[in-house]
Amino acid sequence: MTYRRAVIPALLGGVLLTALLWWAGESAQALRLQGATGTIGGRAAAELERWLVPWSYQPLAGTWAGGDVPGGPAGGDGARYLALHGTALQIRFAAVFAFFVPGALLLIRRLPPVHGRMPATLLAVWAWGIVAGTLAVTVSAPWLIASYGHGSYRFLPQLASVISAGRQILVVTAPAAAAVAVLAARITARGAGPLPREAVPARAARSAATAGTAVTALSLVVLSYQQVAAAIQTAFPGGGLLAEPGDLLRQWLLLGAWSEPGGSGIDAWLLYRAADVLLLVVVWWALRLLPGLLTRATVPAMAAGAVCATVLGLLASQLLRVATDGTGAPGGWPQLFATLGGGVPAALTCGLLAGIVAAVTLRAACRSSGPAAGPQSP
């Protein structure tokens, strides 16, 4: 699929995702009204507001430096801090669009929604929408921290906290943007000529999937082990503005957290670990199918596909964990699903590495099996 045919769906999806996030952020004001708390409950309204506030131009009272200025945000330093908060949100929304479009363009071009690929394309673009939102939150975080008025105090832990906020609403809005982009891509793909699948030997595809999954397992099984994770968090003390990078390192390197069986029993521990097994199964199966679904199994396409596969595996494991937790949530369904979307920065890091490793392994396996139908250079 040519770039000319793929760019329109990517632009439509980017515009819709940005507009939905803006609308969601502006809707946070409605949750503070008495009618909302009376309808859905105080705890549920507070939890939903926590989801939406990272995308709202109106910060919570007491969270920014201008909140205690006499006269409020109407004048003095309060107005300047509020303007800085608005600048951070402008950067955030622009970054969502800027990150979504190139990734969706690559996915739609290499994974066009025709010849049985439509479910895979839809899932991939959905996952990329979550990644784009996470990257947008990351690049706009310094401005948001500065608007709080204490950016020089424990900057890296604050950065980690800001990056982890607002992820739940991305899980909800990204499917709509993905659906519009994929439907538009299906329309623009008409008359584009043959869009064949890559011919990849089954053994080479399995080898590539295994190698890529091993990279994901390194983060999920080794680095996420409690003792190793604690060593990662305390290994780099740093100093000054870059002190205490442990929370930030953990967020970008660890896909989970686990320890040895405790007092709850081995059966409960194994049930809880089933979510991690599901993540690895999703990643392996996606990497196994991906080379055959792509029109050309290039390194960028494999890397982007591996990132999306890791994010989808992470969401599947979180949903399974919610279903098997058995504790319920006193705050209703918003609090029950509050963990959705966590770990996306680590999924981005591990997914990129897994995709590169899988592409290199695939190319080597195809070369050793003969000259036929190996992945081509980008």
Side-chain angles (χ1 to χ4, degrees):
M1 192 171 182
T2 62
Y3 281 114
R4 181 175 59 86
R5 292 179 181 271
V7 69
I8 294 176
L11 289 173
L12 287 175
V15 169
L16 181 60
L17 179 61
T18 306
L20 287 174
L21 290 173
W22 175 85
W23 172 79
E26 292 303 299
S27 300
Q29 306 298 318
L31 294 172
R32 303 171 188 174
L33 301 177
Q34 185 175 359
T37 57
T39 301
I40 63 177
R43 281 190 170 183
E47 187 67 24
L48 284 175
E49 185 180 8
R50 189 175 68 85
W51 292 13
L52 299 179
V53 159
W55 303 95
S56 174
Y57 278 91
Q58 295 296 325
L60 287 172
T63 61
W64 60 297
D68 297 327
V69 176
D77 289 339
R80 287 192 286 270
Y81 281 117
L82 186 59
L84 186 59
H85 182 275
T87 300
L89 267 294
Q90 291 172 2
I91 295 171
R92 181 164 296 184
F93 288 122
V96 168
F97 181 82
F99 282 119
F100 180 86
V101 171
L105 180 62
L106 175 63
L107 290 170
I108 291 172
R109 182 169 183 259
R110 294 300 183 198
L111 193 63
V114 293
H115 304 304
R117 297 185 181 101
M118 189 164 184
T121 309
L122 181 62
L123 291 173
V125 178
W126 172 25
W128 184 256
I130 300 174
V131 172
T134 302
L135 290 173
V137 171
T138 301
V139 299
S140 62
W143 284 268
L144 200 66
I145 293 172
S147 72
Y148 298 158
H150 43 78
S152 61
Y153 174 69
R154 302 184 75 239
F155 176 75
L156 293 183
Q158 289 185 77
L159 185 61
S161 176
V162 171
I163 292 173
S164 64
R167 62 186 187 272
Q168 297 91 350
I169 197 62
L170 287 167
V171 179
V172 179
T173 54
V180 169
V182 171
L183 289 175
R186 191 173 180 86
I187 295 173
T188 58
R190 294 175 181 173
L195 296 170
R197 297 189 179 190
E198 183 85 5
V200 179
R203 180 177 296 181
R206 287 194 295 267
S207 299
T210 302
T213 306
V215 175
T216 306
L218 177 66
S219 171
L220 186 64
V221 177
V222 179
L223 299 183
S224 295
Y225 181 55
Q226 192 175 58
Q227 296 180 3
V228 179
I232 291 174
Q233 282 193 273
T234 57
F236 307 99
L241 191 64
L242 300 180
E244 302 180 58
D247 292 341
L248 195 62
L249 286 172
R250 183 186 186 95
Q251 190 170 154
W252 286 89
L253 295 177
L254 276 60
L255 282 172
W258 66 280
S259 59
E260 297 176 354
S264 57
I266 186 67
D267 52 345
W269 182 84
L270 289 175
L271 181 63
Y272 200 71
R273 297 273 67 79
D276 296 336
V277 175
L278 178 61
L279 192 159
L280 294 177
V281 169
V282 170
V283 171
W284 187 91
W285 188 249
L287 292 179
R288 165 66 180 83
L289 298 178
L290 187 61
L293 292 173
L294 296 171
T295 55
R296 288 178 61 191
T298 62
V299 174
M302 287 291 292
V307 169
C308 296
T310 309
V311 172
L312 291 173
L314 200 61
L315 291 177
S317 68
Q318 290 166 355
L319 285 173
L320 179 61
R321 192 156 284 153
V322 167
T324 58
D325 189 27
T327 59
W333 65 267
Q335 188 172 345
L336 190 65
F337 292 97
T339 58
L340 283 184
V344 174
L348 174 61
T349 305
C350 298
L352 283 174
L353 294 175
I356 294 172
V357 170
V360 172
T361 304
L362 181 66
R363 185 166 300 173
C366 289
R367 188 180 297 115
S368 64
S369 63
Q376 305 173 37
S377 301

